[in-house]
Amino acid sequence: MSAEYQVQGNLAVITLNNPPVNGLGHATRQAIVQGISRAQEDAAVTAIIITGAGKAFSGGADIKEFNSPKAFAEPSLHTVISVLEEAEKPVIAAIHSVCMGGGLELALGCHYRIASPGAQIALPEVKLGILPGAGGTQRLPRVVGLETALNMIVSGNPVSSEKLAQTALFNQIAEGDLMTAATAFANQVAAVRPLPKVRDIRIDYPNYEAFLQFSRNTVKAMSGPFPAPLACVEAVAAAVSKKFDDGIQFERELFLKLVQTTESKALRHAFFAERAASKLPDVPDDTPVRTIKSVAVVGAGTMGGGIAMNFANAGIPVRILEMKQEALDKGLATIRKNYENTLKKGKLTQEKFEQRVALISGTLDYQEIAQADIVIEAVFEDMSVKQQVFQQLDAVMKPGAILASNTSTLDVDQIAAFTQRPQDVIGTHFFSPANVMKLLEIVRGKLTAKDVLATVMALSKKIRKTGVVSGVCDGFIGNRMIEQYSRQAGYLLEEGCTPEQVDKAVEKLGFAMGPFRMGDLAGNDIGWYIRKRRYVEKPHIIYSKTADLLCEMGRFGQKTGAGWYDYKPGDRKPYPSTVVNDMIVKHSADIGVERRKISDQEITERLIYALVNEAAYILEEGIANRASDIDMVYLTGYGFPLHTGGPMFYADTVGLSNVVRAMEKYAKGRHGEAWKPAPLLAKLAADGKTFN
Ligand code: 3H9
């Protein structure tokens, strides 16, 4: 049973018990209905309390069930809610911790609701690409008002129970023990008849059409490719414009449509992928972790500064080490300025601003960082520089300190070998801007200790990053894949595209930024530096020379006021550049390639399938633990469109055999060798299987 039934005196108590968050799966729904029926039949029972065991009242419908017929098997959530609402004895929801989605809908079907202070109340379905499908859009506006309900349903964000104390959602906010308060309340209302039902409340909102029209316009402009937010508005509109039962029917139809959309499947995939990424088969949840109370960062450049801010934001003191006073002062001033900008925008209180600035200090002396629990190196991406730094860290850091490198491509095992304590060395690859981007690639060296890995994974949660573990290889998961993507982007230029055409094609698909705009933002010189290394180490790899020619012109991107695009001073807007386009056309002629018209479909397929094929090698080699980890890397670090669920989920949606067929076609063109399908991809496609 996933709900327990107990009789305590004259009260029946139904306790949802389906860890981790009392999801309302089929068995739980059955158990609730059985509990209500037992309570109705027991003449000694005068009222029924429904509550949740453990860390939630309920986190809502069991999302895992959505892809199976169980999700809709009777008793459906609708049926359960009707059973509660129609019960002849008062049903009181005793709410604590988390009351979300179907959990809140269940509570809204009860006659009364009591909540602990601080409970998180939400209808977050929109974040999964659906809408509340068990009456939430019809009942919530009846108790909290049209505007509050619409905000909660369209944003999906939680609101604390105290904030809703003045609304008809709660009959009481419990002071002290929740069950004691619920018991006293249940006894008070045991004899009340008729029983109050949320469905009977009238929504009083004169001129609601004007408000709803305004909401439609705003939501439409903000929801991009996602259909759910607008559907939420329409469902809430039905709560005012239709009779209750018709509104419920309308909500249900919308829900059933949305749950089938690729966008919703992609968001549900991302929900579970994010949680799966924090689990490693050989590092169980109870692996001991090292205490992290202080952090040091080596390097006060853009990366080092951004990394330091993450820890200050989480309340952890950080000391930044630099070689020269001038560089240190500049780095600290940049951090201060970043915080000042956030303060000016009203996104930070004065108090928090001061706290955060005070948590970051600087030093020129290695000895002054020796007692830090973790040190993160963020110096120039060159092995000999890394060697010097890690040898120094090995000499000064206290025993047990974690030594992390922010390298984006270099061999973490080689870095670890510069020290006498390779078990304490790990890669922590942040993405620029490091204080903003969600992704943290955690690079596990051959000798990295399990407790070091567990500590860094826990730390990534604390600083609100999505930590994804990668094995050691050139570029790890993200940059190793982007290498193939960039190569295709370069070939496309040689064959007939302009940077603008390539960028627009992928941006139309929902990418935050195309490859050339991304290059201009990150700095084209970084790729140039890496390619020069590869020309020596891996001479068989053929790159388009266009990017080198661009760098030879000094066009490093936004920072030099010119890159693939032209820029006006103080303006980040890219303008197509005649100089660059001429250079590309000339280069095609120089290498004897006849330029042709290339379709957007070819552009997006070549860029995305190049990512997917490399990802298949990465998965096969065990560099990534699971396909969904690769999706998380691309969704949180590379601006891959969320509504597609990431490159692997996207390829699954297209069908792997279709992906392979397209690759075979491109293999007949220039640089066809790049299109040899990875054995794993070929096998899955042949077997009709998927990555995820
Ligand atoms: C819905 O209700 C539809 C209805 O309107 C209509 C139906 C007809 N189902 O996040 P955490 C798991 S849609 C299944 O790390 P936290 C999660 O996978 C639903 N599993 O913890 C993880 O498992 P594991 C609307 C769920 O404390 C574990 O719980 N509800 C569900 O940071 C811990 O999760 C939502 O969208 C679920 N509903 O946060 C709520 N929820 O340990 C989504 C969680 O195996 N959930 N799990 O990896 C959340 O926002 C957070 O999980 C919550 C807890 C705030 C509840």
Side-chain angles (χ1 to χ4, degrees):
M1 279 311 234
S2 43
E4 281 147 22
Y5 180 83
Q6 276 181 320
V7 176
Q8 296 174 2
N10 58 325
L11 302 177
V13 179
I14 299 173
T15 308
L16 309 180
N17 192 359
N18 183 19
V21 296
N22 299 323
L24 298 166
H26 187 232
T28 311
R29 301 196 302 267
Q30 277 178 323
I32 300 171
V33 171
Q34 282 169 18
I36 295 288
S37 144
R38 280 174 75 178
Q40 302 256 59
E41 283 161 16
D42 186 343
V45 168
T46 57
I48 306 157
I49 297 175
I50 181 158
T51 191
K55 65 174 194 174
F57 171 77
S58 169
D62 188 339
I63 314 165
K64 284 200 187 92
E65 269 188 4
F66 276 11
N67 295 333
S68 82
K70 263 191 180 176
F72 305 103
E74 287 293 343
S76 68
L77 196 49
H78 268 286
T79 307
V80 176
I81 292 167
S82 297
V83 166
L84 296 175
E85 199 166 50
E86 298 309 321
E88 284 155 15
K89 298 176 183 176
V91 184
I92 300 105
I95 296 165
H96 63 90
S97 317
V98 166
C99 176
M100 293 189 175
L104 179 55
E105 294 176 300
L106 185 86
L108 285 164
C110 296
H111 305 115
Y112 303 98
R113 286 157 297 278
I114 294 196
S116 292
Q120 294 185 66
I121 312 298
L123 287 177
E125 285 85 344
V126 72
K127 295 186 180 180
L128 300 170
I130 49 175
L131 50 64
T137 63
Q138 306 304 296
R139 288 190 180 88
L140 192 65
R142 287 176 155 79
V143 288
V144 300
L146 191 61
E147 289 185 24
T148 306
L150 193 77
N151 277 338
M152 286 177 69
I153 293 169
V154 169
S155 74
N157 291 336
V159 180
S160 77
S161 49
E162 304 94 294
K163 283 214 173 126
L164 296 164
Q166 301 312 318
T167 70
L169 176 57
F170 297 121
N171 300 89
Q172 201 183 96
I173 298 292
E175 299 298 334
D177 179 60
L178 175 66
M179 286 311 284
T180 310
T183 305
F185 186 87
N187 283 317
Q188 257 175 46
V189 296
V192 171
R193 297 293 183 280
L195 289 165
K197 293 177 188 168
V198 171
R199 59 178 288 150
D200 296 336
I201 300 173
R202 260 181 56 90
I203 303 174
D204 191 18
Y205 196 99
N207 207 4
Y208 66 82
E209 238 334 308
F211 167 69
L212 288 170
Q213 195 47 45
F214 169 77
S215 307
R216 274 184 198 105
N217 296 343
T218 321
V219 170
K220 199 171 178 180
M222 286 167 49
S223 47
F226 293 101
L230 202 56
C232 287
V233 181
E234 295 310 340
V236 173
V240 242
S241 64
K242 291 185 195 287
K243 287 194 189 126
F244 181 81
D245 288 330
D246 295 342
I248 288 278
Q249 178 63 26
F250 182 65
E251 176 200 82
R252 179 135 194 90
E253 284 162 15
L254 289 175
F255 176 85
L256 290 173
K257 258 191 223 155
L258 288 172
V259 86
Q260 297 301 335
T261 58
T262 311
E263 290 82 5
S264 172
K265 288 179 185 159
L267 289 173
R268 274 140 51 198
H269 167 69
F271 176 85
F272 287 114
E274 182 168 7
R275 281 148 187 88
S278 66
K279 295 182 174 57
L280 277 183
D282 65 331
V283 184
D285 286 350
D286 57 0
T287 306
V289 290
R290 301 187 188 181
T291 307
I292 303 293
K293 291 218 167 109
S294 61
V295 176
V297 175
V298 183
T302 315
M303 252 351 239
I307 292 171
M309 287 172 77
N310 284 300
F311 295 100
N313 297 350
I316 305 173
V318 200
R319 180 154 289 183
I320 304 181
L321 175 88
E322 251 301 342
M323 294 303 100
K324 295 213 169 87
Q325 189 67 47
E326 199 191 342
L328 182 60
D329 291 346
K330 191 171 162 218
L332 291 174
T334 306
I335 292 172
R336 193 181 173 87
K337 197 155 169 247
N338 283 339
Y339 279 131
E340 275 167 1
N341 287 340
T342 321
L343 180 71
K344 266 189 223 145
K345 284 185 202 147
K347 291 185 182 164
L348 200 62
T349 60
Q350 182 69 33
E351 192 192 351
K352 283 220 165 115
F353 165 78
E354 278 159 25
Q355 273 170 6
R356 290 181 187 184
V357 171
L359 281 169
I360 301 180
S361 59
T363 179
L364 300 175
D365 182 356
Y366 267 94
Q367 286 302 336
E368 286 197 12
I369 61 164
Q371 295 308 311
D373 297 315
I374 179 170
V375 54
I376 300 172
E377 160 279 307
V379 301
F380 192 62
E381 190 73 344
D382 181 287
M383 197 50 108
S384 60
V385 184
K386 307 273 184 202
Q387 177 169 9
Q388 279 173 25
V389 170
F390 273 82
Q391 282 170 346
Q392 295 255 35
L393 291 175
D394 192 26
V396 301
M397 296 306 295
K398 69 175 181 187
I402 296 175
L403 315 186
S405 170
N406 181 50
T407 179
S408 54
T409 48
L410 297 177
D411 184 341
V412 171
D413 291 327
Q414 200 181 336
I415 295 175
F418 298 140
T419 74
Q420 303 298 312
R421 37 175 142 176
Q423 74 283 357
D424 294 339
V425 177
I426 192 164
T428 48
H429 179 206
F430 289 81
F431 287 72
S432 187
N435 54 321
V436 177
M437 295 298 285
K438 282 277 286 170
L439 177 62
L440 179 65
E441 256 184 336
I442 300 172
V443 186
R444 177 181 195 168
K446 250 197 322 261
L447 299 176
T448 305
K450 287 186 184 175
D451 66 333
V452 168
L453 202 52
T455 306
V456 172
M457 283 165 76
L459 192 59
S460 78
K461 266 198 189 144
K462 182 140 198 210
I463 61 172
R464 296 165 169 266
K465 299 282 181 208
T466 302
V468 179
V469 175
S470 168
V472 175
C473 66
D474 190 351
F476 316 124
I477 298 174
N479 281 348
R480 174 166 159 189
M481 285 165 64
I482 210 79
E483 157 97 357
Q484 303 306 325
Y485 170 93
S486 305
R487 274 173 67 196
Q488 287 301 322
Y491 298 157
L492 284 163
L493 294 185
E494 291 178 347
E495 290 165 32
C497 290
T498 60
E500 194 192 12
Q501 190 194 350
V502 175
D503 284 347
K504 282 213 164 128
V506 285
E507 285 162 18
K508 214 158 66 191
L509 206 80
F511 276 62
M513 226 178 264
F516 299 107
R517 283 219 290 141
M518 170 128 81
D520 277 1
L521 180 71
N524 297 310
D525 51 328
I526 299 174
W528 195 25
Y529 182 80
I530 294 171
R531 279 193 305 280
K532 281 183 192 161
R533 170 162 66 84
R534 297 236 168 87
Y535 290 145
V536 179
E537 288 172 5
K538 299 178 182 169
H540 59 282
I541 299 178
I542 303 165
Y543 293 93
S544 160
K545 286 272 176 246
T546 47
D548 296 352
L549 293 171
L550 185 84
C551 289
E552 283 164 20
M553 292 156 86
R555 299 182 69 110
F556 293 165
Q558 289 184 17
K559 61 184 171 188
T560 54
W564 293 106
Y565 295 92
D566 291 336
Y567 296 90
K568 292 182 180 160
D571 184 0
R572 288 171 178 269
K573 191 170 175 236
Y575 295 90
S577 165
T578 320
V579 183
V580 172
N581 292 348
D582 288 350
M583 173 273 280
I584 294 168
V585 172
K586 180 176 178 303
H587 178 67
S588 302
D590 289 348
I591 58 172
V593 174
E594 195 176 327
R595 294 178 69 77
R596 64 185 168 93
K597 197 170 164 357
I598 298 178
S599 70
D600 284 359
Q601 184 184 348
E602 177 172 344
I603 296 171
T604 52
E605 281 186 352
R606 283 175 60 177
L607 294 184
I608 297 177
Y609 297 169
L611 289 176
V612 170
N613 198 35
E614 191 63 28
Y617 283 112
I618 286 175
L619 198 55
E620 211 165 6
E621 290 166 21
I623 297 293
N625 288 300
R626 43 183 96 73
S628 64
D629 284 5
I630 298 171
D631 285 333
M632 280 330 286
V633 166
Y634 266 74
L635 291 175
T636 57
Y638 291 82
F640 204 93
L642 180 59
H643 71 278
T644 65
M648 308 305 262
F649 190 82
Y650 178 78
D652 287 344
T653 312
V654 171
L656 297 187
S657 56
N658 293 327
V659 172
V660 169
R661 210 165 301 134
M663 288 171 62
E664 283 163 359
K665 185 175 75 191
Y666 297 127
K668 294 184 187 129
R670 291 177 72 236
H671 305 300
E673 71 288 347
W675 290 113
K676 187 167 177 282
L680 176 68
L681 172 58
K683 177 152 184 11
L684 290 175
D687 295 349
K689 292 194 174 146
T690 55
F691 285 120
N692 281 291

